[in-house]
Amino acid sequence: MISGYFVHLLIIISIYLILALSLQLSVGFTGLLNLGHIAFYAIGAYASALLAKAGMPFWLCILAAGLLPMVFAYVLSLATSKLKGDYFALATLGFSFVIYSLALNWTNVTNGPLGLPQIPKPQILGIDFSSNINFLFLAITLAIVTYLVINMITISPFGKTLEAIRDDELAAKTLGKNTSMSKSVSLVISSFFAGVAGSLFAYYLTYIDPSSFAFGNLIPIVVITVVGGLASLPGTIFATIIIVLLPEPLRFLGLPSSLIGPGRQALYAIFLLLILLFKPKGFYGKVDLE
Amino acid sequence: MFSQLLINGIIAGAIYALIASGFSLIYSTNRFVHFAHGTVSIFGGYLLYWFYSLLGLDFWLAALFSVASTALIGYLLNKIVYSSLRKRKSSPSILLIASVGIMILIEALMLFLFGADVKTIGLIPVSKGLMLFGAFITPLQVAIVATSAILFIALYLLMNKTKVGKAMRAVSDNKDVAEIVGISAEKIYSWSFIFGSAIAGVAGILISLEQNLEPTMGTALMVKGFAGAIIGGVGSVPGAIVGSLFLGLAENFGIWYLPSGYKDAIAFLVLFIFLLFKPNGIFNSGKRVNG
């Protein structure tokens, strides 16, 4: 029983980690305050769930879950290429609302508020991932791959270009860097991993509905990037673990279940504000968000 | 049908305009997105529910208390959170993230205090409504439009005729110059939060009378206020009014073609189109914040 709960927490940590690392690429490294990350997660989850329900194999579903958000991210980055700071944040937030209302209202495809039940558990090369232990290995592997890829990007010359854009876009431009293209690529890559996380989420719960993709669900991920410190990958891992575990004691306080959700949100919010007020660069952060 | 949608659009637009003008007031002086603005407004609606429906106070007294409370909340948020962040020279993006945190906190507070189920105030029994140019409009809706109009005139007078209003405009034009001539920017930030949040409180009261209350309504409301302010041109109160009316009309005429569930999506689409093609808004105030 205890170990089952532990495995569940580790799976959630892995999924959050993929989301947070990829958000770190656009927010921390490129300086794009991307509030539309949850929409990419949603697109990935729905794409994967629909394909899996149609009997497609796991690798195809998770690949599609990564690729489809990239298309949206590219279009979104073109549309927002001239926007900065607050305006970019609000435009991407608007995008996430549009995707959410599509999930809610496009009932022919998404089944609306009732959601998509009975998503089959994944099978790879004949190995069944329906047990949580096996699924945990899958989730951790993907989280590690995400870490390695994001880390590779951030230490590459391209990663340095992204950081230059974050610190001073005009200067980066003057040095001959194609800044709008780099920002696009950064957003597109980060959307790929968000989609993969969405696919894992859909496979793990075997049921998705729009409520998992409302804007509020992005809050813990944003809190992770701030608490861990912008542009710090080790910080992100550390913060993900803290943020997932932080509200867990609420379960054992005997609160009525209707209060656990708001309790968790309140805890995240207070934690976020305390960090911003007293440790503005997070635990491992090096940079401030412009 | 046409005139009904027109009237619905104007009523929705009047409420958005209240949010937008309060938001615009805060945004143009403080230069960051106060994300919790919509949630503060909804909290005002809940306070009315508490004072009027639960405690049984006289309606006008309850409304007065609610507006005073939202103004106080705005003042305290600025004093406790934003002011300390500003002292550390935090960027507008950090202030935005902090305001998202505040929004979530207030939302959670409302859930704790009042629960997740929808609340109705039920001050005015649902009346049949008047016929006006072939459309139904209830007395409450007339009151909404009238209240908004009165507030806009008051806001206009505040901004143009009083010392505080002129100082606010000075700070939003150029903070450094304003400080050189002896205006305390910190004081002006406080005033902008007090006035902006009080207007949000009035909007919250009107919303609570017209619709059912839900704790999570604030986000969409805030983005609509932001959209109205952007469409009209940031920093211009008449702009915020025109932009919000435009948004209300676009939403209501949009559901002529699309299912009504897409109402919110239409608003964001309009915002998007303006951000792309006319980021300075209809009334170009030349005050784009942050590039």
Side-chain angles (χ1 to χ4, degrees):
Chain A
M1 186 59 210
I2 295 294
S3 70
Y5 172 64
F6 189 61
V7 168
H8 164 78
L9 283 181
L10 283 176
I11 292 175
I12 296 297
I13 288 176
S14 306
I15 294 175
Y16 271 32
L17 193 56
I18 299 175
L19 274 174
L21 287 168
S22 52
L23 186 64
Q24 214 35 290
L25 183 67
S26 50
V27 178
F29 287 94
T30 323
L32 298 169
L33 189 45
N34 171 16
L35 297 182
H37 209 55
I38 197 81
F40 302 136
Y41 181 61
I43 296 167
Y46 271 97
S48 166
L50 288 167
L51 287 173
K53 278 173 76 79
M56 294 297 161
F58 172 76
W59 64 268
L60 185 73
C61 296
I62 201 158
L63 195 65
L67 294 177
L68 190 61
M70 292 171 90
V71 179
F72 282 88
Y74 184 64
V75 175
L76 183 68
S77 74
L78 290 185
T80 56
S81 65
K82 287 200 187 110
L83 305 176
K84 277 180 203 155
D86 309 345
Y87 280 68
F88 183 86
L90 267 299
T92 48
L93 175 75
F95 171 71
S96 79
F97 268 72
V98 171
I99 296 296
Y100 175 72
S101 63
L102 272 177
L104 207 56
N105 294 297
W106 195 13
T107 38
N108 293 340
V109 175
T110 64
N111 206 17
L114 298 177
L116 297 170
Q118 288 163 349
I119 301 161
K121 285 277 188 178
Q123 268 198 341
I124 311 163
L125 303 169
I127 306 167
D128 187 14
F129 283 91
S130 55
S131 84
N132 276 0
I133 290 279
N134 285 357
F135 197 90
L136 174 62
F137 281 111
L138 180 67
I140 287 190
T141 312
L142 286 172
I144 292 172
V145 170
T146 306
Y147 182 88
L148 293 177
V149 172
I150 303 273
N151 188 44
M152 201 181 72
I153 293 170
T154 54
I155 57 175
S156 71
F158 176 68
K160 298 298 156 201
T161 307
L162 293 183
E163 293 200 67
I165 292 170
R166 175 198 63 207
D167 294 338
D168 192 337
E169 183 166 355
L170 192 61
K173 235 181 209 163
T174 315
L175 293 171
K177 302 291 181 194
N178 186 345
T179 55
S180 51
M181 187 57 166
S182 306
K183 286 196 287 187
S184 274
V185 173
S186 159
L187 196 67
V188 166
I189 295 173
S190 97
S191 75
F192 173 84
F193 289 106
V196 168
S199 170
L200 270 183
F201 177 74
Y203 270 118
Y204 177 54
L205 286 193
T206 69
Y207 166 78
I208 53 171
D209 71 18
S211 70
S212 310
F213 308 107
F215 173 65
N217 296 289
L218 187 64
I219 301 300
I221 311 298
V222 173
V223 178
I224 288 170
T225 55
V226 174
V227 170
L230 291 169
S232 161
L233 297 183
T236 307
I237 297 178
F238 173 70
T240 306
I241 296 169
I242 290 190
I243 290 299
V244 174
L245 297 184
L246 185 72
E248 286 306 312
L250 287 179
R251 279 178 203 274
F252 306 110
L253 285 180
L255 283 176
S257 61
S258 63
L259 289 185
I260 287 186
R264 184 182 294 155
Q265 294 286 50
L267 215 55
Y268 288 147
I270 292 169
F271 196 45
L272 175 69
L273 290 173
L274 289 179
I275 289 285
L276 286 175
L277 285 172
F278 300 109
K279 210 159 170 35
K281 287 186 180 173
F283 285 108
Y284 291 96
K286 288 162 279 186
V287 294
D288 264 335
L289 198 57
E290 278 300 319
Chain B
M1 187 67 181
F2 176 83
S3 46
Q4 186 69 59
L5 287 177
L6 183 72
I7 284 190
N8 289 353
I10 290 173
I11 292 157
I15 288 180
Y16 296 161
L18 284 178
I19 300 289
S21 51
F23 173 79
S24 192
L25 191 66
I26 296 174
Y27 191 49
S28 60
T29 44
N30 290 266
R31 308 242 156 175
F32 74 91
V33 176
H34 171 46
F35 215 91
H37 190 65
T39 308
V40 168
S41 168
I42 296 299
F43 195 59
Y46 268 98
L47 285 172
L48 180 73
Y49 170 79
W50 189 56
F51 287 131
Y52 175 73
S53 302
L54 296 185
L55 296 186
L57 290 184
D58 171 62
F59 173 75
W60 294 106
L61 199 62
L64 188 69
F65 280 165
S66 308
V67 173
S69 310
T70 53
L72 182 68
I73 292 167
Y75 173 77
L76 290 177
L77 289 180
N78 180 50
K79 263 281 167 291
I80 297 169
V81 181
Y82 298 136
S83 175
S84 333
L85 285 174
R86 253 195 311 266
K87 260 181 215 140
R88 201 176 289 117
K89 308 234 178 302
S90 298
S91 66
S93 296
I94 291 295
L95 286 157
L96 189 155
I97 293 177
S99 71
V100 172
I102 292 172
M103 178 188 88
I104 297 294
L105 193 61
I106 298 178
E107 247 179 50
L109 191 68
M110 287 192 280
L111 282 164
F112 273 126
L113 294 176
F114 302 104
D117 48 332
V118 291
K119 295 283 184 288
T120 356
I121 298 228
L123 165 71
I124 305 162
V126 177
S127 51
K128 190 129 177 281
L130 318 157
M131 269 304 245
L132 199 73
F133 308 114
F136 281 110
I137 178 163
T138 64
L140 173 64
Q141 291 170 328
V142 177
I144 289 176
V145 177
T147 311
S148 309
I150 293 168
L151 267 182
F152 294 140
I153 295 169
L155 188 60
Y156 180 82
L157 293 176
L158 172 80
M159 294 304 277
N160 290 288
K161 302 284 179 216
T162 66
K163 219 174 165 188
V164 177
K166 284 177 186 168
M168 271 191 225
R169 287 193 297 143
V171 171
S172 75
D173 269 343
N174 191 325
K175 183 194 151 219
D176 295 333
V177 173
E179 285 194 314
I180 287 170
V181 298
I183 296 168
S184 156
E186 276 298 327
K187 246 184 207 156
I188 292 306
Y189 294 150
S190 285
W191 280 115
S192 75
F193 268 94
I194 291 171
F195 286 122
S197 304
I199 298 171
V202 175
I205 287 174
L206 296 177
I207 292 167
S208 72
L209 295 175
E210 166 80 355
Q211 312 170 1
N212 299 329
L213 284 173
E214 270 181 275
T216 50
M217 290 163 85
T219 324
L221 193 63
M222 186 270 145
V223 182
K224 281 175 195 174
F226 177 82
I230 295 292
I231 293 169
V234 168
S236 140
V237 174
I241 297 166
V242 173
S244 304
L245 284 176
F246 180 85
L247 188 69
L249 290 171
E251 258 185 19
N252 280 283
F253 280 103
I255 55 172
W256 208 334
Y257 302 99
L258 283 166
S260 61
Y262 286 110
K263 221 175 185 180
D264 286 350
I266 295 168
F268 293 118
L269 230 52
V270 174
L271 170 65
F272 226 82
I273 292 168
F274 267 86
L275 281 176
L276 281 185
F277 298 108
K278 216 162 173 7
N280 287 341
I282 301 171
F283 288 66
N284 189 346
S285 60
K287 253 186 243 159
R288 277 197 70 187
V289 186
N290 267 325

